[in-house]
């Protein structure tokens, strides 16, 4: 009797386990199946070099797609326009911004972009439209916008190529792609400019900052060497406007 019971137990122990199936876990079996990605023999033993992308690669692809979808849509005139470039500025970063605090969000966006780009310690040409209004006209001309078009700041050009505003720069920085944009640019000289103290502007020597010049024949006239604020760009740390 004891031997008979023992054999029965052995048969039950060695019996093939029933195939797992459950209506709520119907895909579990397929997860444990060995899939042949390589196509070598059909036995499913070629797992070292699958032809399908890995889970990590698919995860990165999905994140990149989400970032691209989360970026704000460009206006129609910028969507259909060809790539915007500034000739002769391939070795620098150009930022059009404002230092005025009238619109707090605009000021904070400009500050954020300048902080991000300055951290890379590359050559940056900062063009403050509040210090020189001609930069605003210059930017509208580069982007192909009319004078009545609404233009938000900041606007960034890297290596002569138009990048975008604060959202584009922030997304590139968070994804780590911004470094590849600036890594080939020349490094900026450390320290603060002694000529302008880092303000990028100095008083005009022709009119001493008054934007008016006097002559006995013509009387007072507007100075042609400076902007309407009586300032000129610092020749030591700034490049001439295009």
């Amino acid at each position: 009797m004891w031997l008979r019971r023992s054999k029965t137990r052995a048969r039950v122990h060695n019996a093939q386990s029933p195939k797992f199936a459950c209506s709520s876990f119907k895909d579990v079996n397929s997860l444990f199946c060995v899939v042949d990605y390589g196509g070598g023999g059909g036995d499913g033993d070629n797992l070292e070099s699958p032809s399908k992308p890995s889970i990590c690669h698919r995860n990165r692809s999905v994140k990149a797609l989400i970032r691209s979808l989360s970026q704000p849509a460009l206006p129609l005139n910028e969507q259909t326009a060809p790539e915007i470039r500034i000739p002769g500025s391939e070795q620098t970063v150009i930022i059009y911004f404002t230092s005025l605090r009238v619109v707090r969000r605009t000021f904070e966006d400009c500050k954020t972009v300048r902080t991000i780009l300055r951290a890379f310690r590359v050559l940056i040409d900062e063009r403050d439209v509040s210090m020189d209004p001609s930069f605003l006209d210059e930017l509208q001309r580069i982007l192909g916008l009319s004078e009545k078009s609404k233009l938000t700041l900041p606007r960034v050009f890297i290596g002569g190529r138009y990048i975008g505003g604060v959202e584009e720069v922030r997304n590139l920085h968070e994804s780590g792609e911004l470094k590849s944009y600036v890594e080939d640019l020349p490094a900026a000289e450390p320290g603060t400019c002694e000529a302008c103290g880092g303000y990028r502007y100095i008083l005009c020597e022709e009119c001493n900052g008054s934007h008016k010049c006097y002559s006995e024949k013509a009387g007072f006239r507007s100075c042609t060497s400076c902007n309407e604020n009586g300032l000129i760009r610092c020749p030591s740390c700034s490049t001439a406007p295009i």
Side-chain angles (χ1 to χ4, degrees), residues 33-34 47 52 56 68 75 83 89 96 99 133 165 180 198 227:
C33 291
V34 180
L47 297 178
K52 290 188 178 181
C56 295
S68 62
E83 186 179 49
S89 59
Y96 289 89
S99 58
S180 62
N227 59 28

Side-chain angles (χ1 to χ4, degrees), residues 60-79:
R60 289 194 298 268
S61 301
V62 171
K63 289 183 177 179
L65 177 60
I66 293 175
R67 284 199 306 268
S68 62
L69 294 177
S70 62
Q71 294 181 0
L74 294 174
L76 292 177
N77 56 351
E78 294 188 26
Q79 291 179 359

Side-chain angles (χ1 to χ4, degrees), residues 6 40 112 145 232:
S6 178
T112 298
L145 302 177
I232 60 173

Side-chain angles (χ1 to χ4, degrees), residues 218-233:
F220 286 97
R221 60 177 178 84
S222 297
C223 180
T224 58
S225 301
C226 60
N227 59 28
E228 61 184 29
N229 296 321
L231 303 173
I232 60 173
R233 304 197 72 190

Side-chain angles (χ1 to χ4, degrees), residues 34-101:
V34 180
V35 181
D36 182 15
Y37 290 113
D43 295 331
D45 54 351
N46 190 7
L47 297 178
E48 296 183 357
S49 57
S51 59
K52 290 188 178 181
S54 63
I55 295 177
C56 295
H57 180 74
R58 292 198 297 268
N59 189 24
R60 289 194 298 268
S61 301
V62 171
K63 289 183 177 179
L65 177 60
I66 293 175
R67 284 199 306 268
S68 62
L69 294 177
S70 62
Q71 294 181 0
L74 294 174
L76 292 177
N77 56 351
E78 294 188 26
Q79 291 179 359
T80 58
E83 186 179 49
I84 301 174
R85 287 185 171 272
I86 300 180
S89 59
E90 290 77 11
Q91 298 298 315
T92 186
V93 176
I94 299 179
I95 307 175
Y96 289 89
F97 73 102
T98 178
S99 58
L100 293 180
R101 300 173 182 261

